[in-house]
Amino acid sequence: MKKVLVCALLATLLAAAPAFAKKSYVNGIDPNYPPFAYVDEKTGQPAGFDVDSLNWIAKAMNFEVTHKPMAWDGIIPALVAKQIDMVDSGMSITPERAKVVQFSDPYWTVSRVFLVPANSSLTPGDILSQKIKLGVQRGTSEANAIKREQQEKGYPFELRFYESAPLAVEDLLNGRIQAALMDELPADDAIAKGRAVKKAGVHGKPDGFGVALRKGDKELRALIDEGYRKLMADPYWQELQKKYLHK
């Protein structure tokens, strides 16, 4: 009788083993960075190009993922402190960030643009040379780059920092700033939603987006890289672009 019970218990544990083996990860996202990552107003759930991409990868690579909205300027410290496991949320790969975290292979490239009111005549040259108020999202690669460039070249504009690109757009429409610098796709998203703004031109070099991971986390890095390779080879990759990136 004892032998039968032991065998039954062993069989139960073996059957349950795959469920225990499935790993779970937490992805930190900017909750207000459409179309890459945001919290859907209707459902209250994380959504966007990066969110849907990682959900597909998690299913294909047999792991679970949850998306945790966080303040962008504190997201890398949260990753280093192991409060989250990765940042798949439109993060630019920069030398400064690479000193602290490692990145996956790039999965997207985006240009930086100046956004102005639809009736504005400002050009990129005007923005850089005039005493205007220029908005930018705090903690972003474009914020760090334009601040450094201003110090080096003595640009006369006044920088205004925001928690998100959409908040900068709001102040742009309210006249509190005259221009904003951001990635092109959030700018396109604002235009697509009927906001009375337009792109005045590009600025600087394009950014490559990658998934940020803790240094030394080779297993997760390999998992994410392989997942993106599979996703890019699947028709769903084109569907995501059509849905979110207006391609």
Side-chain angles (χ1 to χ4, degrees), residues 116-133:
V116 297
N119 61 358
S120 173
S121 61
L122 286 174
T123 66
D126 295 333
I127 294 167
L128 295 175
S129 62
Q130 295 182 12
K131 292 183 178 180
I132 66 165
K133 294 181 178 65

Side-chain angles (χ1 to χ4, degrees), residues 2-242:
K2 186 182 290 185
K3 186 176 181 180
V4 173
L5 290 173
V6 170
C7 289
L9 179 60
L10 181 60
T12 301
L13 290 173
L14 289 173
F20 288 118
K22 197 170 187 179
K23 292 189 176 181
S24 180
Y25 299 101
V26 179
N27 175 43
I29 65 166
D30 184 337
N32 204 0
Y33 190 66
F36 286 95
Y38 56 94
V39 175
D40 190 291
E41 293 181 355
K42 295 180 180 178
T43 66
Q45 297 300 311
F49 182 80
D50 287 338
V51 171
D52 285 4
S53 293
L54 192 55
N55 286 340
W56 187 97
I57 290 170
K59 185 176 180 180
M61 303 303 291
N62 195 37
F63 66 86
E64 295 180 349
V65 64
T66 55
H67 305 278
K68 184 176 182 180
M70 307 184 74
W72 188 250
D73 58 354
I75 208 162
I76 285 183
L79 176 61
V80 174
K82 298 184 178 181
Q83 296 171 14
I84 55 176
D85 301 300
M86 68 185 90
V87 180
D88 190 349
S89 184
M91 178 170 280
S92 300
I93 300 171
T94 67
E96 293 81 9
R97 287 171 175 160
K99 293 176 182 178
V100 183
V101 299
Q102 67 168 328
F103 283 96
S104 69
D105 294 335
Y107 63 85
W108 198 258
T109 302
V110 64
S111 297
R112 297 170 182 167
V113 299
F114 286 119
L115 199 67
V116 297
N119 61 358
S120 173
S121 61
L122 286 174
T123 66
D126 295 333
I127 294 167
L128 295 175
S129 62
Q130 295 182 12
K131 292 183 178 180
I132 66 165
K133 294 181 178 65
L134 175 64
V136 68
Q137 183 180 357
R138 190 189 319 275
T140 59
S141 59
E142 59 267 24
N144 295 333
I146 196 66
K147 185 177 180 180
R148 182 170 57 249
E149 192 175 341
Q150 182 185 38
Q151 293 170 345
E152 292 173 352
K153 300 185 178 181
Y155 293 143
F157 55 71
E158 177 188 336
L159 276 176
R160 292 283 181 90
F161 295 94
Y162 294 88
E163 294 305 314
S164 70
L167 287 177
V169 172
E170 288 300 323
D171 267 10
L172 192 62
L173 294 171
N174 292 331
R176 294 189 180 95
I177 58 175
Q178 287 71 55
L181 179 64
M182 64 185 67
D183 289 333
E184 186 169 27
L185 286 169
D188 287 341
D189 185 75
I191 294 169
K193 289 177 178 175
R195 313 298 278 164
V197 293
K198 66 180 181 181
K199 291 182 284 187
V202 299
H203 180 71
K205 296 180 180 179
D207 280 344
F209 284 174
V211 181
L213 306 149
R214 281 186 291 276
K215 284 184 176 291
D217 200 341
K218 296 180 180 179
E219 181 181 346
L220 184 54
R221 163 74 190 272
L223 196 66
I224 295 299
D225 282 342
E226 178 62 20
Y228 265 104
R229 283 192 289 270
K230 288 185 176 182
L231 174 57
M232 291 176 183
D234 191 275
Y236 187 59
W237 183 243
Q238 300 301 322
E239 292 178 25
L240 285 175
Q241 292 178 49
K242 185 177 180 180

